[in-house]
Amino acid sequence: MASPDIAEMLEKSKELDRLRKEQEEVLLEINKMHKKLQNTPEAVEKPGDNSLSKLKMLYTQAKELSESEMSISSQLLGQLDAMIPAGGAGQQRRRIEGNEQKKKRMKGDPDIPRLSPSMRNQQEFFASLKGEQVAARVAQEDGEKDEWVIVKVTHYDKESKEFEVLDEEPGDDEEGGGQRKYKLPWSHIIPFPKMSDLATAPEFPPGKQVLAVYPGTTALYKATVVQARKRKSDDYTLEFDDDEEDGSLPQRMVPCNQVVALPDGHRQ
């Protein structure tokens, strides 16, 4: 094994430890907010209360940390696969032992009871999206570009942690021409803000890059916010990337409930 590879793996392991500690802190704050809302649910109706906005911000932070942990773990697995000789009993034994250690850690970790309530709440939130329209990344992982479209959630499987979704827009003739179904992980799903609950919706300032539904379509593309809004319910004025007309980017109005945060590493 080359020492630079080992050194890089150790640095990534340290980063995983840091991410886990941050996740624990965020989940602890989430649990505190849940207790506050359970004890004083009327507080959210008071003018100036930002409990729900803070809770949404914490969930967003927890999601980003989880995605970062997943990314680094995948990189480490790739490095280990490259170092371990292909085939043979040794490789299989190491993988089994690794899984056993993971199971032991999950059973014996005293922090798990603290994390469980938030994970249950997250599962319940995902299940509550059934029947809702959401933004979904339907392109393959190894594709050159990320393809985001509007889909309808038909089911959430708590065991596999996958969404079953339906693209209600008919496909091309070469794709069969009918509605397409997908099974996607939660990392490929972004819920849209609800018009009935815009108080908790994120605010995107001018210059901020976002992912938005292109007017007249069911596809989402990268865009930049052009003007500030006066009210939460106002449409966003956006300039879409690669939307050039006569040498300039036209400004297009998009409903606020069709604009979401741009995912990290978006490819277009």
Side-chain angles (χ1 to χ4, degrees):
M1 294 182 191
S3 56
D5 292 336
I6 295 296
E8 184 180 353
M9 289 176 62
L10 290 174
E11 285 300 317
K12 288 178 179 176
S13 296
K14 291 178 182 178
E15 180 67 9
L16 282 178
D17 288 338
R18 184 189 67 79
L19 287 170
R20 187 184 177 198
K21 289 177 182 177
E22 285 191 35
Q23 284 177 309
E24 290 174 351
E25 293 172 0
V26 171
L27 290 170
L28 184 60
E29 290 299 315
I30 288 175
N31 286 336
K32 288 180 181 178
M33 289 296 298
H34 286 163
K35 289 180 181 178
K36 175 185 174 182
L37 293 175
Q38 287 173 356
N39 294 332
T40 56
E42 69 279 359
V44 298
E45 299 177 1
K46 295 180 180 179
D49 183 83
N50 65 344
S51 299
L52 294 179
S53 297
K54 184 178 179 181
L55 185 60
K56 183 169 184 177
M57 179 189 69
L58 288 169
Y59 268 118
T60 301
Q61 189 177 357
K63 178 176 178 289
E64 290 173 351
L65 288 169
S66 179
E67 289 174 344
S68 297
E69 182 183 14
M70 187 183 303
S71 175
I72 294 175
S73 297
S74 298
Q75 293 174 32
L76 282 169
L77 285 172
Q79 287 180 296
L80 286 169
D81 283 341
M83 292 178 179
I84 298 172
Q91 182 179 11
Q92 185 178 9
R93 178 171 55 81
R94 288 190 186 99
R95 287 181 177 172
I96 292 174
E97 288 175 352
N99 288 335
E100 289 299 321
Q101 289 296 326
K102 184 176 180 181
K103 291 176 183 176
K104 290 177 183 177
R105 188 181 74 232
M106 291 174 68
K107 290 179 181 178
D109 196 331
D111 291 335
I112 291 300
R114 280 200 303 167
L115 305 184
S116 297
S118 293
M119 291 303 293
R120 283 199 298 269
N121 288 327
Q122 186 184 60
Q123 294 287 307
E124 290 169 3
F125 170 71
F126 290 157
S128 73
L129 292 175
K130 182 177 179 180
E132 298 280 346
Q133 286 190 328
V134 298
R137 192 177 87 188
V138 297
Q140 297 296 323
E141 289 286 354
D142 56 357
E144 294 182 0
K145 297 181 179 180
D146 293 341
E147 181 184 355
W148 288 84
V149 298
I150 298 175
V151 299
K152 182 178 180 180
V153 177
T154 57
H155 179 66
Y156 176 68
D157 190 325
K158 293 183 179 181
E159 295 297 323
S160 65
K161 296 182 175 58
E162 286 187 324
F163 286 90
E164 294 179 12
V165 300
L166 176 66
D167 182 358
E168 299 178 289
E169 187 76 11
D172 298 332
D173 290 339
E174 59 187 30
E175 297 176 344
Q179 297 176 332
R180 289 158 290 184
K181 297 180 180 179
Y182 301 94
K183 285 189 176 182
L184 303 171
W186 63 265
S187 58
H188 287 211
I189 298 291
I190 303 178
F192 286 117
K194 292 185 178 181
M195 291 298 292
S196 59
D197 190 23
L198 291 179
T200 61
E203 180 69 25
F204 302 115
K208 183 72 173 179
Q209 291 186 324
V210 296
L211 194 67
V213 178
Y214 190 86
T217 75
T218 58
L220 291 87
Y221 299 98
K222 181 180 175 182
T224 302
V225 178
V226 177
Q227 296 178 0
R229 300 184 305 154
K230 295 182 180 180
R231 297 174 301 177
K232 278 274 191 179
S233 58
D234 288 347
D235 291 351
Y236 276 101
T237 304
L238 305 177
E239 288 181 350
F240 285 87
D241 287 17
D242 306 320
D243 190 30
E244 188 173 330
E245 288 183 1
D246 300 325
S248 62
L249 292 176
Q251 296 183 359
R252 303 189 186 278
M253 305 298 292
V254 179
C256 59
N257 65 328
Q258 295 184 353
V259 179
V260 297
L262 183 70
D264 292 336
H266 176 72
R267 301 167 300 174
Q268 180 169 306

